[in-house]
Amino acid sequence: MAGKLYMVPTPVGNLEDMTPRAVKVLNEVDLILAEDTRTSSVLMKHCGVSTPMRSHHKFNEHETVTAIVDQLLAGETIALITDAGTPGISDPGFMLSRACRENGIAVETLPGATAFVPALVNSGLPCERFTFEGFLPVKKGRASRLQELAQEQRTMIFYESPMRLVKTLEQFVETFGGERSASVCREISKLHDTTHHGTLQQLVDHFKTQAPRGEIVIVVEGCPAPVHAKIDKYAQFKNKYNNMK
């Protein structure tokens, strides 16, 4: 009988965010695949996990997936973790999960930490509908992707490095307009966890004088609906109300 692959989220900052169930799974599996075994060894020591670990990251996953699938087909249970957050969310995980599905191997993903959810809720922007964009292309395709998002009405979420934050915010101003509301959340759940709110232009001005550090999540207000769309929506509501009389 084939084994099972567990996708196990790890804390994005505070190690106390590790769930008891996650620790239990990591202790029970035959092998842990880690994005960086050196980074993960700190968490494993903190949680009292001694299961063997092997490296699995974006630079070797194309070569390692087949061997991992063979181990799972032979009956082993394996857990995949990344340096922080949920595997597959801007981190390795998709290729292995897909390969398991194609080979009839069960995959179970535990609920847990991911950076964009607290950043979205902290932003004060609408949460009922949003689009997660992750990291934008660094060069090729970046401008065209931003243009595609210019009329996006849902709240938008982006990951960015501190070195590129100001340049990215300036590109947002050029594409979305400087008055669009946004927030920049950094170091989520860590000692220096901070969220800055303002218009895109205000955030550009702030971070030009205050160099950012740590992991960054940018949340941007969606494009306001066209005036005619708002009128149509009101007319639909009014007609529905009149029909109920």
Side-chain angles (χ1 to χ4, degrees), residues 31 35-36 55 69 90 99 148 188 191 207 222 228 239:
L31 174 68
E35 186 177 7
D36 187 326
S55 179
V69 167
S90 294
E148 290 173 2
I188 293 172
L191 180 62
F207 285 107
H228 66 81
N239 290 335

CSV table of all heavy atoms in Angstrom, one decimal, residues 31 35-36 55 69 90 99 148 188 191 207 222 228 239:
chain,number,residue,atom,x,y,z
A,31,LEU,N,10.2,10.4,7.1
A,31,LEU,CA,11.1,11.4,6.6
A,31,LEU,C,10.5,12.7,6.5
A,31,LEU,O,9.3,12.9,6.2
A,31,LEU,CB,11.6,10.9,5.2
A,31,LEU,CG,12.5,11.9,4.4
A,31,LEU,CD1,13.9,11.9,5.0
A,31,LEU,CD2,12.6,11.4,2.9
A,35,GLU,N,13.0,22.7,3.1
A,35,GLU,CA,13.6,23.6,2.1
A,35,GLU,C,15.0,23.9,2.4
A,35,GLU,O,15.9,23.9,1.6
A,35,GLU,CB,12.7,24.9,2.1
A,35,GLU,CG,13.1,25.9,1.1
A,35,GLU,CD,12.2,27.1,1.0
A,35,GLU,OE1,11.4,27.3,2.0
A,35,GLU,OE2,12.4,27.9,0.1
A,36,ASP,N,15.3,24.1,3.7
A,36,ASP,CA,16.7,24.3,4.2
A,36,ASP,C,16.8,23.6,5.5
A,36,ASP,O,16.3,24.0,6.5
A,36,ASP,CB,17.0,25.8,4.4
A,36,ASP,CG,18.5,26.1,4.7
A,36,ASP,OD1,19.1,25.2,5.4
A,36,ASP,OD2,19.0,27.1,4.3
A,55,SER,N,17.0,17.5,2.1
A,55,SER,CA,16.8,18.8,1.4
A,55,SER,C,15.8,18.6,0.2
A,55,SER,O,16.0,17.7,-0.5
A,55,SER,CB,18.1,19.4,1.0
A,55,SER,OG,17.9,20.6,0.3
A,69,VAL,N,8.4,10.1,-5.0
A,69,VAL,CA,7.2,9.3,-5.3
A,69,VAL,C,7.5,7.8,-5.2
A,69,VAL,O,6.6,7.1,-4.6
A,69,VAL,CB,6.8,9.7,-6.7
A,69,VAL,CG1,5.7,8.7,-7.2
A,69,VAL,CG2,6.2,11.1,-6.8
A,90,SER,N,4.0,30.2,-2.7
A,90,SER,CA,5.3,30.9,-3.0
A,90,SER,C,6.5,30.1,-2.5
A,90,SER,O,7.5,30.7,-2.1
A,90,SER,CB,5.3,32.4,-2.4
A,90,SER,OG,4.3,33.1,-3.1
A,99,ALA,N,2.5,15.4,-8.5
A,99,ALA,CA,3.1,14.0,-8.8
A,99,ALA,C,2.4,13.0,-8.0
A,99,ALA,O,2.1,11.9,-8.5
A,99,ALA,CB,4.6,14.0,-8.6
A,148,GLU,N,-2.4,44.2,-16.2
A,148,GLU,CA,-3.6,43.4,-16.1
A,148,GLU,C,-4.3,43.6,-14.8
A,148,GLU,O,-5.5,43.4,-14.7
A,148,GLU,CB,-3.1,41.9,-16.1
A,148,GLU,CG,-2.6,41.5,-17.5
A,148,GLU,CD,-2.0,40.1,-17.5
A,148,GLU,OE1,-2.0,39.4,-16.4
A,148,GLU,OE2,-1.5,39.6,-18.5
A,188,ILE,N,5.9,39.5,10.3
A,188,ILE,CA,4.7,39.0,10.9
A,188,ILE,C,5.0,38.0,12.0
A,188,ILE,O,5.8,37.0,11.8
A,188,ILE,CB,3.8,38.3,9.9
A,188,ILE,CG1,3.3,39.4,8.9
A,188,ILE,CG2,2.6,37.6,10.5
A,188,ILE,CD1,2.5,38.8,7.7
A,191,LEU,N,9.4,39.8,16.6
A,191,LEU,CA,9.6,40.8,17.6
A,191,LEU,C,9.3,42.2,17.1
A,191,LEU,O,8.7,43.0,17.7
A,191,LEU,CB,11.1,40.8,18.2
A,191,LEU,CG,11.4,41.8,19.2
A,191,LEU,CD1,10.6,41.7,20.5
A,191,LEU,CD2,12.9,41.7,19.6
A,207,PHE,N,8.9,54.8,3.2
A,207,PHE,CA,9.9,53.9,3.1
A,207,PHE,C,11.2,54.4,2.4
A,207,PHE,O,12.2,53.7,2.4
A,207,PHE,CB,9.4,52.6,2.5
A,207,PHE,CG,8.6,51.8,3.4
A,207,PHE,CD1,7.2,51.7,3.3
A,207,PHE,CD2,9.1,51.1,4.5
A,207,PHE,CE1,6.4,51.0,4.1
A,207,PHE,CE2,8.3,50.4,5.4
A,207,PHE,CZ,7.0,50.3,5.2
A,222,GLY,N,-8.4,47.3,-4.1
A,222,GLY,CA,-8.8,47.1,-5.5
A,222,GLY,C,-9.3,48.3,-6.2
A,222,GLY,O,-9.5,49.4,-5.5
A,228,HIS,N,-21.1,53.6,-13.4
A,228,HIS,CA,-22.3,53.0,-14.1
A,228,HIS,C,-22.6,51.7,-13.5
A,228,HIS,O,-23.7,51.3,-13.4
A,228,HIS,CB,-22.1,52.9,-15.6
A,228,HIS,CG,-21.0,52.0,-16.0
A,228,HIS,ND1,-21.2,50.6,-16.1
A,228,HIS,CD2,-19.7,52.2,-16.4
A,228,HIS,CE1,-20.1,50.1,-16.5
A,228,HIS,NE2,-19.2,51.0,-16.7
A,239,ASN,N,-35.3,47.3,-8.0
A,239,ASN,CA,-36.3,46.5,-8.7
A,239,ASN,C,-36.6,45.3,-7.9
A,239,ASN,O,-37.8,44.9,-7.8
A,239,ASN,CB,-35.7,46.1,-10.1
A,239,ASN,CG,-35.6,47.2,-11.0
A,239,ASN,OD1,-36.3,48.2,-10.9
A,239,ASN,ND2,-34.8,47.1,-12.0
